[in-house]
């Protein structure tokens, strides 16, 4: 008698928007590998735990969530052997891992969830998409609503606080970022006027000097320490900016030099927890002054 084999059971698929356009993804996938920390940030906020994750995680608030997951490589280099062994139903990549999307897509449906040009808009869109994929629509909507409320309250608290300059230190080197840069949402969404309006729009910011900071004379100096973000030991941002020329700025004199937690905004920018953390730190440093 012939053996009758049941046809393979395929998960229901759905079309989702990604950085590369619409892609078909499984609905409620059972095995997920994540190669993007902004994605992991938002998934964790939705209580979605992937089975495969990159290392290092860089973000202390996500270490517990990453515990127990299979290591499937780093942000830049997938461990294809480990990934094949995991046999994921869905792979989520983006940002630093985006170049690997074509190769990852040969293993399983892969979403490029890069967040770049519109941190808040893209970040909230990605959050909503994860809600749809994992049946967490209500949680995603609630997280987005809470964030928008916090954003409005922060903008109101900062009204009239003066101009701001965003700088990133990399050891002794300093770069500035304007409205069009990767951290520009801090200007746009919070209504913080730029101390310098023609900062170069490059991925790594415009290389600047202490004289540049003094001439810009910001009322608020927002600082991101790249070496701290990636866990490297170097001269820290506090030491780098403790300079006689920086001391002449209104920001230094009024105590409005804000050192943001670097890893969340630099490594996981657009993740819902990352954006909330950044707003909380700005609020704590400036809202009461």
């Amino acid at each position: 008698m012939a053996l009758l084999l049941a046809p393979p059971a395929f998960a229901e698929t759905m079309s989702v928007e990604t950085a590369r356009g619409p892609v078909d993804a499984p609905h409620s996938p059972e095995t997920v590998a994540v190669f993007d920390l902004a994605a992991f940030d938002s998934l964790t906020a939705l209580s979605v735990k992937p089975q495969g994750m990159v290392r290092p995680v860089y973000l202390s608030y996500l270490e517990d969530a990453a515990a127990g997951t299979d290591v499937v490589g780093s942000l830049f280099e997938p461990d294809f052997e480990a990934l094949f062994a995991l046999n994921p139903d869905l792979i989520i990549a983006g940002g630093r891992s985006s170049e690997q999307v074509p190769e990852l897509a040969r293993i399983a449906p892969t979403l490029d969830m890069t967040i770049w040009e519109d941190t808040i808009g893209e970040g909230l869109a990605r959050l909503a998409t994860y809600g749809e994929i994992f049946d967490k629509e209500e949680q995603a909507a609630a997280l987005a609503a809470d964030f928008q409320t916090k954003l409005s309250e922060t903008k109101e608290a900062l009204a009239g606080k003066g101009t701001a300059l965003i700088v990133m230190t990399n050891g002794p080197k300093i770069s500035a970022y304007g409205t069009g840069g990767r951290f520009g949402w801090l200007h746009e969404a919070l209504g913080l006027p730029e101390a310098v309006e023609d900062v170069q729009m490059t991925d790594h910011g415009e290389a600047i000097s202490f004289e540049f900071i003094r001439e810009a004379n910001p009322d608020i100096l927002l600082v991101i320490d790249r070496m701290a973000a990636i866990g490297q030991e170097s001269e820290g941002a506090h030491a780098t900016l403790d300079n006689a020329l920086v001391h002449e700025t209104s920001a230094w004199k009024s105590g409005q030099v804000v050192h943001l937690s670097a890893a969340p905004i630099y490594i996981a920018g657009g993740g819902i927890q990352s954006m909330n953390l950044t707003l909380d730190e700005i609020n704590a440093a400036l809202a009461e002054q």
Side-chain angles (χ1 to χ4, degrees), residues 184-197:
W185 67 275
L186 296 175
H187 282 298
E188 295 172 341
L190 295 178
L192 286 173
E194 294 178 278
V196 179
E197 294 184 356

Side-chain angles (χ1 to χ4, degrees), residues 120-189:
I120 293 177
E122 292 173 1
L124 294 181
R126 304 289 185 256
L127 176 67
T129 297
Y130 302 140
E132 294 171 5
I133 293 172
F134 296 98
D135 287 330
K136 302 276 189 176
E137 291 97 333
E138 290 186 6
Q139 295 95 317
L143 286 167
D146 289 345
F147 172 77
Q148 292 286 13
T149 297
K150 181 179 293 186
L151 187 65
S152 296
E153 292 173 349
T154 305
K155 181 177 181 179
E156 182 178 352
L158 296 181
K161 296 288 186 181
T163 62
L165 179 66
I166 304 168
V167 299
M168 184 166 70
T169 65
N170 189 9
K173 300 177 182 178
I174 313 171
S175 299
Y177 291 81
T179 299
R182 64 195 301 179
F183 311 119
W185 67 275
L186 296 175
H187 282 298
E188 295 172 341

Side-chain angles (χ1 to χ4, degrees), residues 73 85 178 209 220 226 234:
S209 63
I220 300 168
R226 180 182 180 276
S234 73

